[in-house]
Amino acid sequence: MFRTLWVWIGIPLIMIGIVAAMIIYSVNNPTDSIVERMLTYERVFRVIRQHASLLLISMTGATIVGVLGGIMLSRPSLYRAGRVVETIVNIGQTVPSIAILALFYTILGMGFRVAVFALFLYSILPILRNTFAGIDGVDYSIIEAARGMGMHPLRILTKIELPIAFPIIVAGFRTAIVINVGAATLATFIGGGGLGDLIVTGLAVRREMIILNGAALAALSAILLDYLIGKAEERVVKWS
Amino acid sequence: MIKVEGLTKVFPGQTIPAVKDLNLEIKEGDVCVLVGPSGCGKTTTMKMINRLYEPTGGKVYIRGEDHMKIDPIKLRLDIGYVIQEIGLFPHMTIYENIATVPNEKKWPREKTKEKVEELMHLVGLDPEIFQNRYPTALSGGQRQRVGVARAMVSDPPIMLMDEPFGAVDPITRARLQNEFLRIQERMSKTIVFVTHDIDEAIKMSDTIAVMNEGELIQHDTPSDLLSAPADEFVANLVGRHRSIKRLHLIRVHEILKEVDRTEPLTEDAKKEEVEKQLEDSDLRTVIVVDRDNKLKGVIGASDLKRKAGEVAGDYCHEVSDTVTDDATLNDALSVMLECGVGYVAVVNEDEMYQGTITLGDLLNVVREDS
């Protein structure tokens, strides 16, 4: 009981506490008038909110499309296409995130929506790939036993394939979310807002204090999310 | 129960059929073993029975009904299925694994629980200990038992077993085979059993279907197969040591009635009785049991000299191994050879003493048969 509380509430609170303390200190003790003007609670909350929206919308979409796409490609009739898509996805993954944002800027222009769309596309890749690979990796004898005993293909998917592939799908989701948090800091370049705003502003006015606060928040969100997903997975997957 | 007519399978992109014009009839309650070298089409034949493979030609009748007219899901739910790789679901507990078919059939929870526990007892796994474990925590033999329990839980009249004991060590394998035969004696299911091991085929079967290159060569009882192989292929398959193979066919309890051996002594018998029986017995050994007829040990001539005491119990030494009465004569022979003595004591499941058989008895059996 105590351990559970510690894992789920204690450790995350400590992480958040450290960063919060840093922000409170910085806002209350600005080094000069520029920092005082640029680094306010209101602004910090706004960029956090923007960052969270970028993340939430793009990840929700990417998870739905990625998992459904991965399942479809793993069906026997589409399996060959799945292999091809897997290769394309792997190539897509090597393109730097800033290049993706830049690319969509040239096609779709500026703004929050364009940033969300670019992040969405970029996050689909690891989720789709892992869903496909996870289902593809289920031992064939297991599927054959299930078919031989008279399980319906849809039941095999939901009761056997997806649960066995679950840890791999979650690993893909984790990769996606960590990449997404990082890439979302770049959304500011195309007017998408987010934590990147603080960093870029800080760089422009050359005030380390502002840069540091932005960077710490971005790092915190990545580490915290990765940690929580990892712990949640441990709780769900008891069998391996 | 199962009737196969002109069954043929040609896999896409191949010209040579994997199974060619196969005719086979399996009676209710029989174990039919399909045996042959790998690639002979035995597994393909089996998978066509539950439509994991759709036949290219020919018919399969299950209780007189064309199986292509039955919905494949429904067909498979009523046919138990065991494969060599077992295919247990790693993310489910042993209980959930065995409950697969009841859950597919939407049985009420109580009924499922009752049946799963019954089956776990039947295959010798204590539900208290095992039901909440995951397959990774089990040994190969235990997993195989779970596989069999899972296939039998909904009491299907027909079972298909593809090398079910192929992935375990020889000792576990022999034990599983004996257990399986004991279960089958009680359940009498119609079973199609695939193996490449002719000894296993002889031991497990009511009838053996020998296959080669997609064709059925001979379908006969094991005894007929041994005495009258249809052609050179079958003769080679059963091998030269046919009289030894016969020992697989006969169970210890079958010959135990015929051998008439002196009753064992109880542990409180006098020394004189021991001496007298030692003189008379062809074993040159006296078997000693306790009051509950449980095997206590044996007394040889040297024990009488070496040890001191009043009654039989003081002299006897423990036997290194015994056989159960449902073991085959071949099992008995290997115990004798391992222990280096010319006899072996037979006990039943509860370790009650049943009798003793000797090397001489085995020789008689082989001689009578050939």
Side-chain angles (χ1 to χ4, degrees), chain A residues 140-153 155 159-161 163-164 238-240, chain B residues 47 50 52 73 76-77 79 81 83 85-92 100-101 104 134 136 150:
Chain A
Y140 186 69
S141 67
I142 293 171
I143 307 294
E144 207 209 275
R147 286 183 65 210
M149 285 189 296
M151 281 181 91
H152 192 274
R155 297 267 301 167
K159 293 272 156 191
I160 312 286
E161 289 176 302
I164 293 177
K238 298 188 192 110
W239 48 274
S240 59
Chain B
K47 285 184 181 173
N50 69 353
L52 279 179
I73 301 287
R76 291 177 200 149
L77 281 174
I79 298 181
Y81 189 58
I83 54 176
E85 305 86 352
I86 317 170
L88 293 186
F89 307 140
H91 61 301
M92 293 186 187
T100 304
V101 175
E104 291 303 300
Y134 287 93
T136 41
R150 185 172 68 170

Coordinates of all heavy atoms in Angstrom, one line a residue, chain A residues 140-153 155 159-161 163-164 238-240, chain B residues 47 50 52 73 76-77 79 81 83 85-92 100-101 104 134 136 150:
Chain A
Y140 N 3.2 -18.6 -33.8 CA 2.1 -19.2 -34.6 C 1.4 -20.3 -34.0 O 0.2 -20.5 -34.1 CB 2.7 -19.6 -36.0 CG 1.5 -20.0 -36.9 CD1 0.6 -19.0 -37.3 CD2 1.3 -21.3 -37.2 CE1 -0.5 -19.4 -38.1 CE2 0.2 -21.7 -37.9 CZ -0.7 -20.7 -38.4 OH -1.8 -21.1 -39.2
S141 N 2.1 -21.1 -33.2 CA 1.5 -22.3 -32.5 C 0.3 -21.8 -31.6 O -0.7 -22.5 -31.5 CB 2.5 -23.1 -31.7 OG 3.0 -22.4 -30.6
I142 N 0.5 -20.6 -31.0 CA -0.6 -20.1 -30.1 C -1.8 -19.8 -30.9 O -3.0 -20.2 -30.6 CB -0.1 -18.9 -29.4 CG1 1.0 -19.3 -28.4 CG2 -1.2 -18.2 -28.7 CD1 1.8 -18.1 -27.8
I143 N -1.6 -19.2 -32.1 CA -2.8 -18.8 -33.0 C -3.4 -20.1 -33.5 O -4.6 -20.3 -33.5 CB -2.3 -18.0 -34.2 CG1 -1.5 -16.8 -33.7 CG2 -3.5 -17.6 -35.0 CD1 -2.3 -15.8 -33.0
E144 N -2.6 -21.1 -33.8 CA -3.1 -22.3 -34.4 C -3.9 -23.1 -33.3 O -5.0 -23.6 -33.6 CB -2.0 -23.2 -34.9 CG -2.5 -24.1 -36.0 CD -1.8 -25.4 -36.1 OE1 -0.7 -25.4 -36.7 OE2 -2.3 -26.4 -35.5
A145 N -3.4 -23.1 -32.1 CA -4.2 -23.7 -31.0 C -5.5 -23.1 -30.8 O -6.5 -23.7 -30.7 CB -3.4 -23.7 -29.7
A146 N -5.5 -21.7 -30.9 CA -6.8 -21.0 -30.7 C -7.7 -21.3 -31.8 O -8.9 -21.5 -31.6 CB -6.5 -19.5 -30.6
R147 N -7.2 -21.3 -33.1 CA -8.1 -21.6 -34.2 C -8.6 -23.0 -34.1 O -9.8 -23.2 -34.3 CB -7.3 -21.4 -35.5 CG -7.1 -20.0 -35.9 CD -6.4 -20.0 -37.3 NE -7.2 -20.5 -38.3 CZ -6.8 -21.2 -39.4 NH1 -5.5 -21.4 -39.6 NH2 -7.6 -21.6 -40.3
G148 N -7.8 -23.9 -33.8 CA -8.1 -25.3 -33.7 C -9.2 -25.6 -32.6 O -10.0 -26.5 -32.8
M149 N -9.2 -24.8 -31.6 CA -10.2 -25.0 -30.6 C -11.5 -24.3 -30.9 O -12.4 -24.4 -30.1 CB -9.7 -24.5 -29.2 CG -8.6 -25.4 -28.6 SD -8.2 -25.0 -26.9 CE -7.5 -23.4 -27.2
G150 N -11.5 -23.6 -32.0 CA -12.8 -23.0 -32.4 C -13.0 -21.6 -32.0 O -14.1 -21.1 -31.9
M151 N -11.9 -20.8 -31.8 CA -12.1 -19.4 -31.5 C -12.4 -18.6 -32.8 O -11.7 -18.9 -33.8 CB -10.9 -18.8 -30.8 CG -10.8 -19.2 -29.3 SD -9.4 -18.5 -28.5 CE -10.0 -16.9 -27.9
H152 N -13.2 -17.7 -32.7 CA -13.6 -16.8 -33.8 C -12.4 -15.9 -34.1 O -11.8 -15.4 -33.1 CB -14.8 -16.0 -33.5 CG -15.4 -15.4 -34.7 ND1 -15.0 -14.1 -35.1 CD2 -16.3 -15.8 -35.6 CE1 -15.6 -13.8 -36.2 NE2 -16.5 -14.8 -36.5
P153 N -12.0 -15.6 -35.4 CA -10.9 -14.7 -35.6 C -10.9 -13.4 -34.9 O -9.8 -13.0 -34.4 CB -11.0 -14.4 -37.1 CG -11.7 -15.6 -37.7 CD -12.6 -16.1 -36.6
R155 N -12.3 -12.9 -31.9 CA -12.0 -13.2 -30.5 C -10.5 -13.5 -30.4 O -9.9 -13.1 -29.4 CB -12.8 -14.4 -30.1 CG -14.3 -14.2 -30.1 CD -14.8 -13.8 -28.8 NE -14.5 -14.8 -27.7 CZ -14.6 -14.5 -26.4 NH1 -15.0 -13.3 -26.1 NH2 -14.3 -15.4 -25.5
K159 N -8.7 -11.4 -27.7 CA -8.4 -12.2 -26.5 C -6.9 -12.7 -26.5 O -6.4 -13.0 -25.4 CB -9.3 -13.4 -26.3 CG -10.7 -13.0 -26.1 CD -11.0 -12.8 -24.6 CE -12.2 -11.9 -24.4 NZ -12.3 -11.5 -23.0
I160 N -6.4 -12.9 -27.7 CA -5.0 -13.5 -27.7 C -4.0 -12.6 -28.3 O -3.0 -12.2 -27.6 CB -5.0 -14.8 -28.6 CG1 -6.2 -15.7 -28.2 CG2 -3.7 -15.5 -28.5 CD1 -6.1 -16.5 -27.0
E161 N -4.2 -12.1 -29.5 CA -3.1 -11.4 -30.2 C -2.9 -10.0 -29.5 O -1.7 -9.7 -29.2 CB -3.5 -11.2 -31.7 CG -3.4 -12.4 -32.5 CD -3.9 -12.3 -33.9 OE1 -5.0 -11.8 -34.1 OE2 -3.1 -12.5 -34.8
P163 N -3.7 -8.9 -26.4 CA -3.0 -8.9 -25.1 C -1.6 -9.4 -25.1 O -0.8 -8.8 -24.4 CB -3.9 -10.0 -24.4 CG -5.2 -10.0 -25.1 CD -4.9 -9.6 -26.5
I164 N -1.2 -10.3 -26.0 CA 0.2 -10.7 -26.0 C 1.0 -9.6 -26.6 O 2.2 -9.4 -26.2 CB 0.3 -12.1 -26.8 CG1 -0.4 -13.2 -26.1 CG2 1.8 -12.4 -27.1 CD1 -0.4 -14.5 -26.8
K238 N 1.2 -9.0 -16.1 CA 1.7 -9.8 -14.9 C 2.3 -11.1 -15.4 O 2.9 -11.8 -14.5 CB 0.5 -10.2 -14.0 CG -0.3 -9.0 -13.5 CD -1.3 -9.5 -12.4 CE -2.2 -8.4 -12.0 NZ -3.6 -8.6 -12.5
W239 N 2.2 -11.4 -16.6 CA 2.5 -12.8 -17.0 C 3.9 -13.1 -17.4 O 4.3 -14.2 -17.5 CB 1.5 -13.3 -18.0 CG 1.4 -12.3 -19.2 CD1 0.5 -11.3 -19.2 CD2 2.0 -12.3 -20.4 NE1 0.6 -10.7 -20.4 CE2 1.5 -11.3 -21.2 CE3 3.0 -13.1 -21.0 CZ2 2.0 -11.0 -22.4 CZ3 3.5 -12.9 -22.2 CH2 3.0 -11.8 -23.0
S240 N 4.7 -12.1 -17.8 CA 6.0 -12.4 -18.4 C 7.2 -12.3 -17.4 O 7.0 -11.7 -16.3 CB 6.3 -11.5 -19.6 OG 6.4 -10.2 -19.2
Chain B
K47 N -5.5 -32.0 -40.0 CA -6.0 -30.6 -40.0 C -7.2 -30.4 -40.9 O -7.9 -29.4 -40.8 CB -4.9 -29.6 -40.4 CG -3.9 -29.4 -39.2 CD -2.9 -28.4 -39.6 CE -1.9 -28.2 -38.4 NZ -0.8 -27.4 -38.7
N50 N -10.7 -31.0 -38.9 CA -11.4 -29.9 -38.2 C -11.3 -28.6 -39.1 O -11.5 -27.5 -38.6 CB -10.8 -29.6 -36.8 CG -9.4 -29.1 -36.8 OD1 -8.7 -29.0 -37.9 ND2 -8.9 -28.7 -35.7
L52 N -9.0 -26.8 -40.4 CA -7.9 -25.8 -40.4 C -7.3 -25.7 -41.8 O -6.9 -24.7 -42.2 CB -6.8 -26.2 -39.4 CG -7.1 -25.9 -37.9 CD1 -6.0 -26.4 -37.0 CD2 -7.4 -24.5 -37.7
I73 N -16.4 -22.9 -37.0 CA -16.2 -22.6 -35.6 C -16.9 -23.6 -34.7 O -16.4 -24.1 -33.7 CB -16.8 -21.2 -35.3 CG1 -16.0 -20.1 -36.2 CG2 -16.7 -20.8 -33.8 CD1 -14.6 -19.8 -35.8
R76 N -15.2 -27.0 -34.8 CA -13.9 -27.1 -34.0 C -14.2 -27.0 -32.5 O -13.5 -27.6 -31.7 CB -13.0 -25.9 -34.3 CG -12.4 -26.1 -35.7 CD -11.6 -24.9 -36.1 NE -11.4 -24.8 -37.5 CZ -11.3 -23.6 -38.1 NH1 -11.4 -22.5 -37.5 NH2 -11.2 -23.6 -39.4
L77 N -15.3 -26.3 -32.1 CA -15.6 -26.3 -30.6 C -16.0 -27.7 -30.1 O -15.8 -27.9 -28.9 CB -16.8 -25.3 -30.4 CG -16.5 -23.8 -30.4 CD1 -17.7 -23.0 -30.3 CD2 -15.5 -23.5 -29.3
I79 N -14.5 -30.5 -31.2 CA -13.4 -31.4 -31.5 C -12.2 -30.9 -30.6 O -11.8 -29.8 -30.8 CB -13.0 -31.4 -33.0 CG1 -14.2 -31.9 -33.8 CG2 -11.8 -32.3 -33.2 CD1 -13.9 -32.0 -35.3
Y81 N -8.5 -30.4 -29.5 CA -7.3 -30.2 -30.3 C -6.0 -30.0 -29.5 O -6.0 -29.1 -28.7 CB -7.6 -29.0 -31.2 CG -6.6 -28.8 -32.3 CD1 -6.3 -29.8 -33.3 CD2 -5.8 -27.6 -32.4 CE1 -5.4 -29.6 -34.3 CE2 -4.9 -27.4 -33.5 CZ -4.7 -28.4 -34.4 OH -3.8 -28.2 -35.4
I83 N -1.7 -29.8 -29.9 CA -0.6 -29.8 -30.8 C 0.7 -30.0 -30.1 O 0.8 -29.7 -28.9 CB -0.6 -28.5 -31.7 CG1 -0.6 -27.3 -30.9 CG2 -1.7 -28.6 -32.7 CD1 -0.4 -26.0 -31.7
E85 N 3.4 -28.2 -30.1 CA 4.0 -27.0 -29.4 C 3.1 -26.6 -28.3 O 3.3 -25.6 -27.6 CB 4.1 -25.9 -30.4 CG 5.0 -26.2 -31.6 CD 4.2 -26.9 -32.7 OE1 3.0 -27.2 -32.5 OE2 4.7 -27.1 -33.8
I86 N 2.0 -27.3 -28.0 CA 1.0 -27.1 -27.0 C 0.2 -25.8 -27.2 O -1.0 -25.8 -27.2 CB 1.6 -27.1 -25.6 CG1 2.6 -28.2 -25.4 CG2 0.5 -27.2 -24.5 CD1 3.4 -28.1 -24.2
G87 N 0.9 -24.7 -27.5 CA 0.2 -23.4 -27.8 C -0.6 -22.9 -26.6 O -1.7 -22.4 -26.8
L88 N -0.1 -23.0 -25.4 CA -0.8 -22.4 -24.3 C -0.7 -20.9 -24.4 O 0.3 -20.4 -25.0 CB -0.1 -22.8 -22.9 CG -0.2 -24.3 -22.5 CD1 0.3 -24.5 -21.1 CD2 -1.6 -24.8 -22.6
F89 N -1.7 -20.2 -23.9 CA -1.7 -18.7 -24.0 C -0.9 -18.2 -22.9 O -1.3 -18.3 -21.7 CB -3.2 -18.2 -24.0 CG -4.0 -18.9 -25.0 CD1 -5.3 -19.3 -24.7 CD2 -3.5 -19.2 -26.3 CE1 -6.1 -19.9 -25.7 CE2 -4.3 -19.8 -27.3 CZ -5.6 -20.1 -26.9
P90 N 0.2 -17.5 -23.2 CA 1.2 -17.1 -22.1 C 0.6 -16.1 -21.2 O 1.1 -16.0 -20.1 CB 2.4 -16.6 -22.9 CG 1.8 -16.2 -24.2 CD 0.7 -17.1 -24.5
H91 N -0.4 -15.3 -21.7 CA -0.9 -14.2 -20.9 C -2.1 -14.6 -20.0 O -2.7 -13.8 -19.3 CB -1.3 -13.1 -21.8 CG -2.4 -13.4 -22.7 ND1 -2.2 -14.4 -23.6 CD2 -3.6 -12.9 -22.9 CE1 -3.4 -14.5 -24.4 NE2 -4.2 -13.6 -23.9
M92 N -2.4 -15.9 -20.1 CA -3.6 -16.4 -19.3 C -3.1 -17.4 -18.2 O -2.1 -18.1 -18.5 CB -4.6 -17.1 -20.2 CG -5.3 -16.2 -21.1 SD -6.6 -17.1 -22.0 CE -7.1 -15.9 -23.2
T100 N -10.8 -22.0 -21.9 CA -10.9 -21.4 -23.2 C -12.2 -21.8 -23.9 O -13.1 -20.9 -24.3 CB -9.8 -21.7 -24.1 OG1 -8.6 -21.3 -23.5 CG2 -9.9 -20.9 -25.4
V101 N -12.4 -23.1 -24.1 CA -13.6 -23.5 -24.9 C -14.9 -23.3 -24.1 O -15.8 -22.7 -24.7 CB -13.4 -25.0 -25.3 CG1 -14.7 -25.5 -26.0 CG2 -12.3 -25.2 -26.3
E104 N -15.7 -19.8 -24.8 CA -16.2 -19.6 -26.1 C -17.6 -20.0 -26.3 O -18.4 -19.5 -27.0 CB -15.3 -20.3 -27.1 CG -13.9 -19.8 -27.3 CD -13.9 -18.3 -27.7 OE1 -14.5 -18.0 -28.8 OE2 -13.4 -17.5 -26.9
Y134 N 1.0 -19.0 -14.3 CA 1.1 -18.7 -15.7 C 1.9 -19.9 -16.4 O 2.8 -20.5 -15.7 CB 1.7 -17.4 -16.0 CG 0.8 -16.2 -15.7 CD1 0.8 -15.6 -14.4 CD2 -0.2 -15.8 -16.6 CE1 -0.2 -14.6 -14.1 CE2 -1.1 -14.8 -16.3 CZ -1.1 -14.2 -15.1 OH -2.0 -13.3 -14.8
T136 N 4.5 -20.0 -18.1 CA 6.0 -20.0 -18.0 C 6.5 -20.6 -16.7 O 7.6 -21.0 -16.6 CB 6.5 -18.5 -18.0 OG1 5.6 -17.7 -17.3 CG2 6.5 -18.0 -19.5
R150 N -7.1 -28.8 -21.5 CA -7.7 -27.8 -22.2 C -8.6 -28.3 -23.4 O -9.7 -27.9 -23.7 CB -6.7 -26.8 -22.8 CG -7.3 -25.6 -23.4 CD -6.2 -24.5 -23.8 NE -5.3 -25.0 -24.8 CZ -4.4 -24.2 -25.4 NH1 -4.3 -23.0 -25.0 NH2 -3.6 -24.7 -26.3

